[in-house]
Amino acid sequence: MVAYSQDYDLFLRFIEKFSPAGFKGIDRNDPLILELEEMMADNNQFFYIADTIHMKVLFTSKRSLDMMGINPEELTFYHFMEATHAGDIQRLNLGRAILLKRAQEMYIAEKGNLFVSSSMRIRNPKGEYSNVLLQNYLFFATIPYKTVYLLKIHTNIDWFKKIKNGYHYYIGKDLSFFKYPDKKMLMMGNVFSNREFEIIKLIGSGLSSEQIAEKIFVSTNTVNTHRRNILEKTGKAYISELIYDLTERGIL
């Protein structure tokens, strides 16, 4: 089994070292950059740092070429829209809207940080789609000017058996999630069986348990059992609350 590096402290050192200059003029031969590149080669990752207020990518590590076929000096936000699987575009757009909204809130408050992570299918240079974990760290800064930066780490997680109707998702300030992912982390979010997800969608379309039972050829008791299991699995009190949450995240 491959041993992955867990030392995300390197990213925090990157922020500390290069943020005073606004992440400009970074020497790719700097020892810290070389150490980061070595770690990311081992982990099958790349990262970029961006200014969310001015909507500009400031620095991208070199493995964007290996993972997306994009030269690091040329990478823009558009490339991710173009490379994301059509089935994940809605979630990508909603996730981006959440990030930009939170960045604006931090900018106005002049403080704060936030960690958001999710998984998407992104096209690789071979034209195939890889399962990729996107770890986003937002943080406010005043030097060399007032803005909110985004450090975004892309990790190939094809080794993780993707559940068809499940997506890893986390938003909060717990930086214990700021690490190379393990299976426990990737199971966080919304993970349903195909039947459960079908029932959730039918409930969201306005059907009752009786109507769903007739539509999918099962008993009403079976549908209600699925409803109870779905609520237990997600910790929600009401299906309507779950449907709203999944819609907001772009899963429904």
Side-chain angles (χ1 to χ4, degrees):
M1 181 176 179
V2 177
Y4 296 102
S5 172
Q6 307 293 314
D7 192 11
Y8 272 32
D9 180 61
L10 289 176
F11 291 113
L12 300 180
R13 287 167 53 194
F14 169 84
I15 292 171
E16 181 180 9
K17 181 169 184 175
F18 297 110
S19 61
F23 301 101
K24 295 180 180 179
I26 296 176
D27 181 1
R28 292 191 179 275
N29 292 314
D30 182 283
L32 177 57
I33 298 299
L34 294 176
E35 191 174 0
L36 269 168
E37 294 286 11
E38 182 179 0
M39 180 186 76
M40 287 183 292
D42 291 340
N43 290 353
N44 204 359
Q45 299 172 302
F46 81 93
F47 82 97
Y48 72 75
I49 187 84
D51 182 331
T52 63
I53 302 303
H54 296 90
M55 293 297 293
K56 184 177 181 181
V57 175
L58 302 171
F59 177 83
T60 304
S61 66
K62 66 181 183 180
R63 294 199 73 259
S64 63
L65 187 61
D66 299 311
M67 292 183 66
M68 291 183 63
I70 307 297
N71 287 315
E73 290 79 11
E74 299 173 356
L75 185 121
T76 67
F77 296 121
Y78 165 77
H79 288 114
F80 296 99
M81 292 290 296
E82 195 273 334
T84 298
H85 191 282
D88 291 340
I89 283 290
Q90 184 182 5
R91 289 196 304 117
L92 178 71
N93 287 336
L94 286 172
R96 179 173 292 178
I98 290 170
L99 282 173
L100 293 178
K101 179 182 178 183
R102 293 299 185 92
Q104 289 287 343
E105 291 170 350
M106 289 182 198
Y107 185 77
I108 293 169
E110 299 188 344
K111 63 179 180 180
N113 59 69
L114 185 71
F115 186 60
V116 181
S117 63
S118 188
S119 55
M120 302 275 176
R121 289 165 291 177
I122 296 179
R123 191 175 61 244
N124 60 34
K126 295 180 179 179
E128 302 168 347
Y129 286 93
S130 295
N131 196 21
V132 177
L133 177 68
L134 310 177
Q135 294 172 291
N136 304 269
Y137 179 48
L138 281 173
F139 58 98
F140 176 77
T142 57
I143 299 174
Y145 55 89
K146 175 182 169 182
T147 194
V148 177
Y149 290 114
L150 168 65
L151 175 71
K152 188 172 184 180
I153 305 166
H154 302 73
T155 305
N156 183 297
I157 52 171
D158 280 338
W159 53 265
F160 176 69
K161 185 178 180 181
K162 186 178 183 299
I163 297 173
K164 182 178 180 182
N165 293 313
Y167 304 95
H168 164 76
Y169 185 84
Y170 173 78
I171 181 168
K173 295 188 176 184
D174 187 350
L175 288 183
S176 68
F177 292 104
F178 193 58
K179 64 178 183 178
Y180 185 85
D182 54 23
K183 290 183 179 180
K184 183 178 180 180
M185 178 195 294
L186 295 173
M187 288 297 289
M188 286 189 62
N190 299 292
V191 180
F192 306 104
S193 69
N194 291 341
R195 178 63 89 186
E196 287 171 342
F197 196 70
E198 181 182 19
I199 289 172
I200 291 168
K201 288 194 292 185
L202 291 171
I203 294 171
S205 69
L207 298 186
S208 66
S209 291
E210 292 77 13
Q211 291 170 318
I212 293 171
E214 182 177 351
K215 186 175 182 66
I216 63 176
F217 307 106
V218 298
S219 71
T220 301
N221 284 338
T222 298
V223 174
N224 287 332
T225 297
H226 280 301
R227 292 177 72 126
R228 288 193 297 270
N229 290 340
I230 289 165
L231 291 176
E232 182 178 351
K233 181 180 287 188
T234 60
K236 302 290 186 183
Y238 303 100
I239 287 286
S240 58
E241 180 185 0
L242 172 63
I243 289 172
Y244 176 81
D245 185 44
L246 296 181
T247 302
E248 283 292 294
R249 296 182 187 182
I251 296 174
L252 280 181

